[in-house]
Amino acid sequence: MSLRAFYHANRWIAKRGISRNFSSKPPPKSSNFKYGPTAALLGVGIAASYYFFSPDVSRSAPTLADQVLSPSHFTRCTVTSSEESGPDTRLITVTVPKQSIPPASSLQPVWSVFIKDDDIQVERPYTPLEGLDSEGRMRFWIKRYPRGEVGRWLHSKKCGEDIELRGPLQTWTWKEDTWDEVVMISGGTGITPFYQLFHSVISRAPSTSSTRFTLLHSSKTHAELPPSAILDPLVSYGEENPSKFQVHLFVDSSAQSSNTVALAAHVGRIGRPEIVKSLQTDTSKSSWWNTLFGRNEKVDLGQRKILFLVCGPEPLV
Ligand SMILES: Cc1cc2nc3c(=O)[nH]c(=O)nc-3n(C[C@H](O)[C@H](O)[C@H](O)COP(=O)(O)OP(=O)(O)OC[C@H]3O[C@@H](n4cnc5c(N)ncnc54)[C@H](O)[C@@H]3O)c2cc1C
Protein backbone atom coordinates (compact mmCIF):
# COMPACT_ATOMS: atom_id res chain seq x y z
CA MET A 1 0.00 0.00 0.00
CA SER A 2 1.26 3.46 -0.74
CA LEU A 3 0.27 6.70 0.86
CA ARG A 4 1.12 10.10 -0.54
CA ALA A 5 0.09 13.55 0.53
CA PHE A 6 0.27 16.66 -1.60
CA TYR A 7 0.03 20.07 -0.07
CA HIS A 8 -0.47 23.35 -1.80
CA ALA A 9 -0.19 26.42 0.32
CA ASN A 10 0.17 29.79 -1.35
CA ARG A 11 3.31 29.53 -3.52
CA TRP A 12 4.78 26.61 -1.66
CA ILE A 13 4.26 23.08 -2.86
CA ALA A 14 5.60 20.02 -1.13
CA LYS A 15 5.32 16.42 -2.17
CA ARG A 16 5.75 13.65 0.30
CA GLY A 17 5.68 9.93 -0.31
CA ILE A 18 5.28 7.28 2.32
CA SER A 19 5.08 3.64 1.43
CA ARG A 20 4.29 0.75 3.65
CA ASN A 21 3.80 -2.86 2.82
CA PHE A 22 0.95 -4.53 4.58
CA SER A 23 1.10 -7.77 2.72
CA SER A 24 1.65 -10.78 4.91
CA LYS A 25 3.90 -12.31 2.29
CA PRO A 26 6.70 -10.97 0.11
CA PRO A 27 5.31 -8.81 -2.71
CA PRO A 28 4.93 -10.47 -6.10
CA LYS A 29 8.04 -10.20 -8.26
CA SER A 30 6.37 -8.90 -11.36
CA SER A 31 3.02 -7.46 -10.59
CA ASN A 32 1.86 -3.92 -10.99
CA PHE A 33 -1.03 -4.60 -8.63
CA LYS A 34 -1.34 -2.26 -5.73
CA TYR A 35 -4.41 -1.28 -3.82
CA GLY A 36 -3.41 2.00 -2.40
CA PRO A 37 -5.40 4.88 -0.98
CA THR A 38 -3.62 8.13 -1.67
CA ALA A 39 -4.66 11.31 0.03
CA ALA A 40 -3.90 14.57 -1.68
CA LEU A 41 -4.64 17.67 0.27
CA LEU A 42 -5.06 21.13 -1.10
CA GLY A 43 -5.63 24.17 0.99
CA VAL A 44 -4.03 26.97 2.89
CA GLY A 45 -2.20 26.16 6.07
CA ILE A 46 -3.56 22.65 6.36
CA ALA A 47 -1.60 20.35 8.60
CA ALA A 48 -2.19 16.83 7.36
CA SER A 49 -1.61 13.72 9.31
CA TYR A 50 -2.67 10.36 8.03
CA TYR A 51 -2.20 7.07 9.66
CA PHE A 52 -3.03 3.86 8.00
CA PHE A 53 -2.60 0.47 9.53
CA SER A 54 -0.06 -0.18 12.21
CA PRO A 55 0.26 -3.91 11.80
CA ASP A 56 1.54 -4.37 15.34
CA VAL A 57 -0.07 -7.76 15.53
CA SER A 58 -0.16 -10.19 12.69
CA ARG A 59 -1.84 -13.19 11.21
CA SER A 60 -0.23 -15.22 13.98
CA ALA A 61 -2.61 -13.56 16.47
CA PRO A 62 -4.69 -16.11 18.43
CA THR A 63 -8.30 -16.96 17.60
CA LEU A 64 -10.54 -16.23 20.57
CA ALA A 65 -14.21 -17.03 21.08
CA ASP A 66 -16.52 -15.03 23.38
CA GLN A 67 -14.47 -11.87 23.05
CA VAL A 68 -15.28 -8.61 21.34
CA LEU A 69 -13.80 -8.11 17.86
CA SER A 70 -10.29 -6.71 18.13
CA PRO A 71 -7.20 -6.19 15.96
CA SER A 72 -5.19 -8.25 18.45
CA HIS A 73 -7.04 -11.54 17.94
CA PHE A 74 -9.02 -13.33 15.25
CA THR A 75 -12.74 -13.95 15.62
CA ARG A 76 -14.45 -16.86 13.89
CA CYS A 77 -17.35 -15.49 11.80
CA THR A 78 -19.79 -17.09 9.36
CA VAL A 79 -20.35 -16.40 5.66
CA THR A 80 -24.09 -15.72 5.52
CA SER A 81 -24.41 -14.61 1.90
CA SER A 82 -22.29 -14.72 -1.22
CA GLU A 83 -23.57 -13.51 -4.55
CA GLU A 84 -21.94 -12.85 -7.90
CA SER A 85 -21.79 -9.14 -8.71
CA GLY A 86 -19.76 -8.99 -11.90
CA PRO A 87 -17.19 -10.95 -13.92
CA ASP A 88 -14.66 -11.25 -11.04
CA THR A 89 -16.47 -9.84 -8.02
CA ARG A 90 -18.82 -11.07 -5.32
CA LEU A 91 -20.83 -9.36 -2.60
CA ILE A 92 -20.03 -11.40 0.49
CA THR A 93 -21.77 -10.97 3.85
CA VAL A 94 -19.99 -12.20 6.96
CA THR A 95 -21.75 -12.35 10.33
CA VAL A 96 -19.91 -11.78 13.60
CA PRO A 97 -21.18 -13.79 16.61
CA LYS A 98 -23.44 -11.67 18.88
CA GLN A 99 -21.02 -11.75 21.82
CA SER A 100 -18.20 -10.38 19.63
CA ILE A 101 -20.04 -7.30 18.29
CA PRO A 102 -18.15 -4.19 19.45
CA PRO A 103 -19.94 -1.00 20.54
CA ALA A 104 -20.92 1.17 17.57
CA SER A 105 -18.98 4.07 19.09
CA SER A 106 -15.72 2.16 18.57
CA LEU A 107 -16.24 2.04 14.79
CA GLN A 108 -15.26 5.31 13.16
CA PRO A 109 -15.16 5.56 9.36
CA VAL A 110 -13.15 4.53 7.47
CA TRP A 111 -12.17 1.12 8.88
CA SER A 112 -11.41 -2.32 7.59
CA VAL A 113 -10.69 -5.82 8.84
CA PHE A 114 -8.01 -8.37 8.05
CA ILE A 115 -9.47 -11.61 6.74
CA LYS A 116 -7.29 -14.69 7.07
CA ASP A 117 -7.07 -17.39 4.45
CA ASP A 118 -6.52 -20.24 6.89
CA ASP A 119 -5.55 -22.70 4.14
CA ILE A 120 -2.26 -20.86 3.56
CA GLN A 121 -2.21 -18.57 6.62
CA VAL A 122 -2.16 -15.19 4.88
CA GLU A 123 -4.37 -12.21 5.63
CA ARG A 124 -5.56 -9.25 3.56
CA PRO A 125 -7.52 -6.13 4.55
CA TYR A 126 -11.10 -5.65 3.29
CA THR A 127 -13.55 -2.78 3.83
CA PRO A 128 -17.09 -3.49 5.08
CA LEU A 129 -19.35 -1.42 2.82
CA GLU A 130 -21.86 -0.45 5.50
CA GLY A 131 -19.65 -1.09 8.50
CA LEU A 132 -21.16 -3.49 11.04
CA ASP A 133 -24.91 -3.62 11.65
CA SER A 134 -26.66 -4.42 14.95
CA GLU A 135 -27.00 -8.09 13.88
CA GLY A 136 -23.24 -8.37 13.41
CA ARG A 137 -23.40 -8.35 9.59
CA MET A 138 -20.62 -6.94 7.42
CA ARG A 139 -21.01 -6.82 3.66
CA PHE A 140 -17.92 -6.79 1.43
CA TRP A 141 -17.42 -6.25 -2.30
CA ILE A 142 -14.48 -8.49 -3.13
CA LYS A 143 -12.53 -8.93 -6.32
CA ARG A 144 -10.83 -12.16 -7.33
CA TYR A 145 -7.53 -11.79 -9.23
CA PRO A 146 -6.38 -14.61 -11.53
CA ARG A 147 -3.52 -15.66 -9.25
CA GLY A 148 -4.58 -13.73 -6.16
CA GLU A 149 -4.66 -15.80 -3.02
CA VAL A 150 -7.20 -14.48 -0.50
CA GLY A 151 -9.68 -13.09 -3.05
CA ARG A 152 -9.96 -16.46 -4.82
CA TRP A 153 -10.22 -18.26 -1.47
CA LEU A 154 -13.01 -15.93 -0.30
CA HIS A 155 -14.91 -16.42 -3.58
CA SER A 156 -14.85 -20.17 -2.95
CA LYS A 157 -16.46 -19.85 0.50
CA LYS A 158 -20.05 -21.09 0.76
CA CYS A 159 -22.85 -19.87 3.03
CA GLY A 160 -22.50 -21.41 6.47
CA GLU A 161 -18.71 -21.74 6.26
CA ASP A 162 -16.51 -20.01 8.82
CA ILE A 163 -13.79 -17.45 8.20
CA GLU A 164 -11.51 -15.70 10.67
CA LEU A 165 -11.01 -11.96 10.80
CA ARG A 166 -9.50 -9.37 13.06
CA GLY A 167 -10.17 -5.66 13.37
CA PRO A 168 -11.38 -2.98 13.21
CA LEU A 169 -8.33 -1.25 11.78
CA GLN A 170 -8.55 2.42 11.00
CA THR A 171 -7.82 2.98 7.30
CA TRP A 172 -8.24 6.72 7.54
CA THR A 173 -10.17 8.87 9.98
CA TRP A 174 -12.93 11.22 8.90
CA LYS A 175 -13.07 14.49 10.82
CA GLU A 176 -16.27 16.52 10.86
CA ASP A 177 -16.27 20.23 10.02
CA THR A 178 -12.78 20.10 8.52
CA TRP A 179 -13.26 20.20 4.74
CA ASP A 180 -15.25 22.41 2.38
CA GLU A 181 -14.83 20.00 -0.53
CA VAL A 182 -14.00 16.30 -0.61
CA VAL A 183 -13.15 14.74 -3.98
CA MET A 184 -13.00 10.94 -3.97
CA ILE A 185 -11.45 9.18 -6.96
CA SER A 186 -11.70 5.39 -7.11
CA GLY A 187 -11.01 2.51 -9.44
CA GLY A 188 -12.54 -0.97 -9.18
CA THR A 189 -13.00 -2.17 -5.61
CA GLY A 190 -11.22 1.03 -4.51
CA ILE A 191 -14.73 2.41 -4.18
CA THR A 192 -15.30 0.42 -0.95
CA PRO A 193 -13.79 2.90 1.56
CA PHE A 194 -15.70 5.72 -0.13
CA TYR A 195 -18.93 3.75 0.04
CA GLN A 196 -18.36 3.26 3.78
CA LEU A 197 -17.80 7.02 4.13
CA PHE A 198 -20.97 7.62 2.10
CA HIS A 199 -23.01 5.22 4.22
CA SER A 200 -21.69 6.40 7.59
CA VAL A 201 -21.14 10.10 7.02
CA ILE A 202 -22.31 11.62 3.73
CA SER A 203 -25.83 10.15 3.64
CA ARG A 204 -26.35 11.05 7.33
CA ALA A 205 -24.90 14.56 7.23
CA PRO A 206 -27.14 17.14 8.86
CA SER A 207 -28.76 19.65 6.49
CA THR A 208 -26.55 22.32 8.09
CA SER A 209 -23.36 20.59 6.89
CA SER A 210 -21.63 22.65 4.21
CA THR A 211 -19.13 20.00 3.00
CA ARG A 212 -19.56 19.10 -0.67
CA PHE A 213 -18.57 15.59 -1.79
CA THR A 214 -17.78 14.42 -5.33
CA LEU A 215 -17.13 10.79 -6.25
CA LEU A 216 -15.43 9.98 -9.56
CA HIS A 217 -15.38 6.22 -10.05
CA SER A 218 -13.80 4.25 -12.86
CA SER A 219 -14.06 0.61 -13.91
CA LYS A 220 -12.62 -1.10 -16.98
CA THR A 221 -15.98 -2.04 -18.49
CA HIS A 222 -19.68 -1.49 -17.80
CA ALA A 223 -19.92 -5.07 -16.56
CA GLU A 224 -17.18 -4.42 -14.00
CA LEU A 225 -18.84 -1.34 -12.50
CA PRO A 226 -19.99 -1.79 -8.89
CA PRO A 227 -23.29 -3.66 -8.58
CA SER A 228 -26.58 -1.82 -8.12
CA ALA A 229 -26.43 -2.58 -4.37
CA ILE A 230 -23.57 -0.06 -4.29
CA LEU A 231 -24.40 2.27 -7.19
CA ASP A 232 -28.13 2.78 -6.62
CA PRO A 233 -27.86 4.41 -3.16
CA LEU A 234 -25.04 6.65 -4.43
CA VAL A 235 -26.88 7.73 -7.57
CA SER A 236 -30.22 8.27 -5.76
CA TYR A 237 -28.64 10.35 -3.01
CA GLY A 238 -26.74 12.42 -5.59
CA GLU A 239 -29.95 13.09 -7.53
CA GLU A 240 -31.79 14.13 -4.38
CA ASN A 241 -28.93 16.23 -2.96
CA PRO A 242 -26.97 17.60 -5.94
CA SER A 243 -25.49 20.46 -3.96
CA LYS A 244 -24.04 18.05 -1.37
CA PHE A 245 -23.02 14.97 -3.33
CA GLN A 246 -22.26 14.15 -6.94
CA VAL A 247 -21.25 10.85 -8.48
CA HIS A 248 -19.70 10.42 -11.94
CA LEU A 249 -18.93 7.01 -13.45
CA PHE A 250 -16.27 6.23 -16.04
CA VAL A 251 -15.44 3.13 -18.07
CA ASP A 252 -12.48 2.41 -20.36
CA SER A 253 -14.48 0.72 -23.09
CA SER A 254 -17.87 1.44 -24.60
CA ALA A 255 -19.10 -2.19 -24.54
CA GLN A 256 -22.62 -1.94 -23.15
CA SER A 257 -24.33 -3.89 -20.40
CA SER A 258 -27.89 -4.42 -19.26
CA ASN A 259 -27.21 -2.45 -16.07
CA THR A 260 -29.26 0.74 -16.47
CA VAL A 261 -27.10 2.76 -14.08
CA ALA A 262 -24.01 1.65 -15.95
CA LEU A 263 -25.32 3.17 -19.15
CA ALA A 264 -24.86 6.59 -17.57
CA ALA A 265 -21.07 6.05 -17.39
CA HIS A 266 -18.71 8.23 -19.43
CA VAL A 267 -16.25 6.40 -21.68
CA GLY A 268 -12.68 7.43 -20.88
CA ARG A 269 -10.25 7.91 -18.03
CA ILE A 270 -10.59 10.23 -15.05
CA GLY A 271 -8.16 13.03 -15.76
CA ARG A 272 -7.71 16.67 -14.99
CA PRO A 273 -10.44 17.84 -17.42
CA GLU A 274 -12.94 15.41 -15.89
CA ILE A 275 -12.18 16.62 -12.37
CA VAL A 276 -12.47 20.25 -13.42
CA LYS A 277 -15.68 19.60 -15.35
CA SER A 278 -17.35 17.73 -12.52
CA LEU A 279 -16.59 20.52 -10.08
CA GLN A 280 -17.55 23.35 -12.38
CA THR A 281 -21.20 22.48 -11.92
CA ASP A 282 -20.98 24.77 -8.92
CA THR A 283 -20.45 28.07 -10.70
CA SER A 284 -19.35 29.82 -7.54
CA LYS A 285 -16.21 27.67 -7.62
CA SER A 286 -15.48 27.58 -11.32
CA SER A 287 -12.87 30.30 -11.17
CA TRP A 288 -11.13 28.51 -8.29
CA TRP A 289 -10.79 25.31 -10.30
CA ASN A 290 -9.86 27.08 -13.50
CA THR A 291 -7.05 28.94 -11.81
CA LEU A 292 -5.90 25.90 -9.90
CA PHE A 293 -5.56 23.75 -13.00
CA GLY A 294 -4.78 26.47 -15.55
CA ARG A 295 -1.14 26.28 -16.68
CA ASN A 296 -0.09 29.89 -16.59
CA GLU A 297 -2.70 31.40 -14.38
CA LYS A 298 -2.13 32.44 -10.83
CA VAL A 299 -3.41 29.94 -8.29
CA ASP A 300 -6.10 31.36 -6.08
CA LEU A 301 -6.95 28.87 -3.35
CA GLY A 302 -8.93 31.32 -1.31
CA GLN A 303 -9.79 30.00 2.11
CA ARG A 304 -11.45 26.78 0.98
CA LYS A 305 -10.14 23.52 2.34
CA ILE A 306 -10.21 20.75 -0.22
CA LEU A 307 -9.38 17.10 0.31
CA PHE A 308 -8.63 14.63 -2.47
CA LEU A 309 -8.82 10.94 -1.68
CA VAL A 310 -7.69 8.41 -4.27
CA CYS A 311 -8.10 4.67 -3.90
CA GLY A 312 -7.61 1.93 -6.44
CA PRO A 313 -5.03 -0.03 -8.41
CA GLU A 314 -1.57 1.46 -8.86
CA PRO A 315 -2.11 2.86 -12.41
CA LEU A 316 -5.00 4.97 -11.08
CA VAL A 317 -3.27 6.06 -7.86
C1 LIG B 1 -7.24 -0.82 3.52
C2 LIG B 1 -7.55 -1.78 2.40
C3 LIG B 1 -8.85 -2.13 2.17
C4 LIG B 1 -9.16 -3.01 1.13
N1 LIG B 1 -10.48 -3.30 0.87
C5 LIG B 1 -10.78 -4.13 -0.17
C6 LIG B 1 -12.15 -4.44 -0.48
O1 LIG B 1 -13.09 -3.99 0.19
N2 LIG B 1 -12.38 -5.28 -1.53
C7 LIG B 1 -11.35 -5.83 -2.28
O2 LIG B 1 -11.64 -6.59 -3.21
N3 LIG B 1 -10.06 -5.54 -1.99
C8 LIG B 1 -9.75 -4.73 -0.95
N4 LIG B 1 -8.44 -4.48 -0.67
C9 LIG B 1 -7.38 -5.22 -1.41
C10 LIG B 1 -7.13 -6.57 -0.71
O3 LIG B 1 -6.59 -6.35 0.58
C11 LIG B 1 -6.14 -7.47 -1.45
O4 LIG B 1 -4.98 -6.74 -1.73
C12 LIG B 1 -6.71 -8.00 -2.75
O5 LIG B 1 -7.91 -8.70 -2.49
C13 LIG B 1 -5.73 -8.94 -3.43
O6 LIG B 1 -5.38 -9.95 -2.52
P1 LIG B 1 -5.22 -11.47 -3.00
O7 LIG B 1 -4.65 -12.23 -1.87
O8 LIG B 1 -6.48 -11.97 -3.62
O9 LIG B 1 -4.20 -11.33 -4.18
P2 LIG B 1 -2.59 -11.42 -4.06
O10 LIG B 1 -2.17 -12.81 -3.79
O11 LIG B 1 -2.10 -10.36 -3.17
O12 LIG B 1 -2.25 -11.05 -5.57
C14 LIG B 1 -2.63 -9.79 -6.10
C15 LIG B 1 -2.29 -9.71 -7.58
O13 LIG B 1 -0.94 -9.97 -7.76
C16 LIG B 1 -0.86 -11.03 -8.67
N5 LIG B 1 0.22 -11.89 -8.21
C17 LIG B 1 0.23 -12.64 -7.07
N6 LIG B 1 1.39 -13.30 -6.98
C18 LIG B 1 2.12 -12.94 -8.07
C19 LIG B 1 3.41 -13.25 -8.55
N7 LIG B 1 4.22 -14.10 -7.87
N8 LIG B 1 3.82 -12.71 -9.69
C20 LIG B 1 3.04 -11.87 -10.38
N9 LIG B 1 1.80 -11.51 -9.99
C21 LIG B 1 1.36 -12.05 -8.86
C22 LIG B 1 -2.13 -11.78 -8.68
O14 LIG B 1 -2.39 -12.43 -9.90
C23 LIG B 1 -3.05 -10.68 -8.47
O15 LIG B 1 -3.31 -10.06 -9.71
C24 LIG B 1 -8.12 -3.57 0.35
C25 LIG B 1 -6.80 -3.20 0.60
C26 LIG B 1 -6.51 -2.31 1.60
C27 LIG B 1 -5.07 -1.93 1.84
Side-chain angles (χ1 to χ4, degrees):
M1 170 188 280
S2 64
L3 166 65
R4 288 171 228 136
F6 299 86
Y7 308 85
H8 186 294
N10 295 332
R11 292 181 186 171
W12 173 82
I13 297 179
K15 180 177 172 182
R16 178 181 298 180
I18 308 164
S19 293
R20 287 185 191 171
N21 284 325
F22 296 107
S23 173
S24 301
K25 59 163 195 181
K29 281 187 184 128
S30 59
S31 167
N32 65 356
F33 175 88
K34 228 173 200 180
Y35 186 100
T38 293
L41 311 181
L42 292 166
V44 178
I46 297 167
S49 80
Y50 279 121
Y51 49 94
F52 281 58
F53 304 102
S54 305
D56 50 343
V57 285
S58 72
R59 65 190 190 278
S60 59
T63 302
L64 303 178
D66 302 326
Q67 297 229 8
V68 169
L69 216 59
S70 157
S72 60
H73 66 253
F74 283 95
T75 299
R76 193 160 286 122
C77 304
T78 309
V79 174
T80 46
S81 164
S82 177
E83 54 184 272
E84 196 180 298
S85 57
D88 296 306
T89 58
R90 292 189 85 82
L91 280 167
I92 298 176
T93 304
V94 173
T95 302
V96 178
K98 280 235 156 36
Q99 67 277 11
S100 300
I101 299 174
S105 58
S106 66
L107 302 170
Q108 300 301 321
V110 175
W111 58 276
S112 56
V113 292
F114 272 108
I115 296 182
K116 182 168 72 172
D117 172 346
D118 54 17
D119 286 350
I120 54 166
Q121 300 292 308
V122 295
E123 61 178 12
R124 300 276 186 266
Y126 294 95
T127 313
L129 292 164
E130 291 101 358
L132 182 71
D133 74 12
S134 57
E135 300 298 310
R137 286 176 297 226
M138 286 186 275
R139 186 161 61 151
F140 300 91
W141 189 43
I142 292 179
K143 179 161 181 173
R144 174 188 59 194
Y145 295 90
R147 285 180 293 154
E149 286 164 356
V150 181
R152 280 189 304 145
W153 178 83
L154 275 168
H155 275 232
S156 75
K157 287 280 150 188
K158 306 260 179 310
C159 281
E161 290 188 337
D162 286 348
I163 61 164
E164 291 182 18
L165 56 84
R166 64 181 182 93
L169 291 125
Q170 205 66 29
T171 308
W172 172 78
T173 305
W174 168 252
K175 290 202 180 92
E176 287 292 347
D177 302 324
T178 306
W179 308 103
D180 299 313
E181 303 268 355
V182 179
V183 181
M184 300 169 285
I185 301 173
S186 58
T189 52
I191 197 172
T192 56
F194 302 146
Y195 190 86
Q196 193 189 98
L197 190 67
F198 167 80
H199 179 82
S200 315
V201 173
I202 304 171
S203 65
R204 296 170 192 209
S207 54
T208 51
S209 168
S210 59
T211 308
R212 268 171 44 103
F213 295 84
T214 303
L215 172 64
L216 304 172
H217 175 80
S218 174
S219 292
K220 278 191 198 147
T221 63
H222 285 89
E224 288 171 84
L225 279 165
S228 56
I230 294 175
L231 286 187
D232 286 355
L234 295 170
V235 171
S236 308
Y237 188 81
E239 284 170 357
E240 285 158 23
N241 303 275
S243 62
K244 290 195 177 301
F245 179 69
Q246 291 189 21
V247 55
H248 301 278
L249 304 173
F250 296 82
V251 287
D252 290 353
S253 106
S254 57
Q256 296 293 309
S257 101
S258 56
N259 182 335
T260 51
V261 175
L263 295 175
H266 311 278
V267 178
R269 295 284 172 102
I270 303 170
R272 188 176 71 182
E274 287 69 35
I275 296 171
V276 174
K277 195 174 163 201
S278 72
L279 288 155
Q280 278 177 344
T281 51
D282 182 343
T283 51
S284 67
K285 291 175 198 75
S286 62
S287 105
W288 187 98
W289 287 103
N290 281 333
T291 51
L292 172 64
F293 290 105
R295 283 187 68 176
N296 298 314
E297 292 175 76
K298 209 174 168 186
V299 173
D300 175 17
L301 291 175
Q303 293 304 309
R304 293 188 71 74
K305 295 177 188 167
I306 294 101
L307 170 67
F308 286 83
L309 294 167
V310 186
C311 189
E314 180 65 12
L316 179 100
V317 174

